[in-house]
Amino acid sequence: MSHVSTPAPQGQPPLHTVQVLGGGSAGSSAHVRSLSTGLAARGVRVTVCAPAEADEAYDFAGTGAHHVAVPRRSDPASVAALRAACADADLVHAHGL
C-alpha cells in the first residue's frame, strides 16, 4: 500500500493534530504510533502528548511527530502543557484521558 502525501492548499499551513495519551497502555500507545505514522506521511503536522516513558517505548518522534512530555497527572503543570500543545490544533484526539 502506498502513502500519498496530500499537501495543504497553497498559502495555508498543514493541518495539525494532537494525539493525547493518558495512561499509555500498550494498545493505545501502538494505536497512536500507527496514527502518527500515517498522518505524518500525508503531510499532517502531528504532536503526541504522552508520558516520557511512552515515548521511550514507542518512539513517537520516529514517526515524524513532535513529542510533548506530559506526566500522568492532572496537576496544573500537566494541564498547562496540554493546553499549550493543543492551542493551535485543528483536531485533538484523546486516548484514555
Side-chain angles (χ1 to χ4, degrees):
M1 182 171 150
S2 67
H3 294 282
V4 177
S5 181
T6 306
Q10 190 168 355
Q12 293 185 359
L15 291 175
H16 179 211
T17 181
V18 177
Q19 305 290 322
V20 180
L21 274 172
S25 71
S28 60
S29 294
H31 178 62
V32 166
R33 188 176 203 300
S34 176
L35 287 171
S36 298
T37 299
L39 289 166
R42 288 164 177 81
V44 176
R45 189 166 56 106
V46 180
T47 300
V48 176
C49 296
E53 59 270 13
D55 183 52
E56 291 166 11
Y58 290 90
D59 186 27
F60 299 119
T63 69
H66 171 69
H67 175 252
V68 174
V70 178
R72 295 179 182 157
R73 297 187 306 259
S74 59
D75 64 16
S78 295
V79 173
L82 284 172
R83 177 175 278 174
C86 297
D88 69 343
D90 296 297
L91 173 74
V92 176
H93 188 184
H95 306 266
L97 183 68

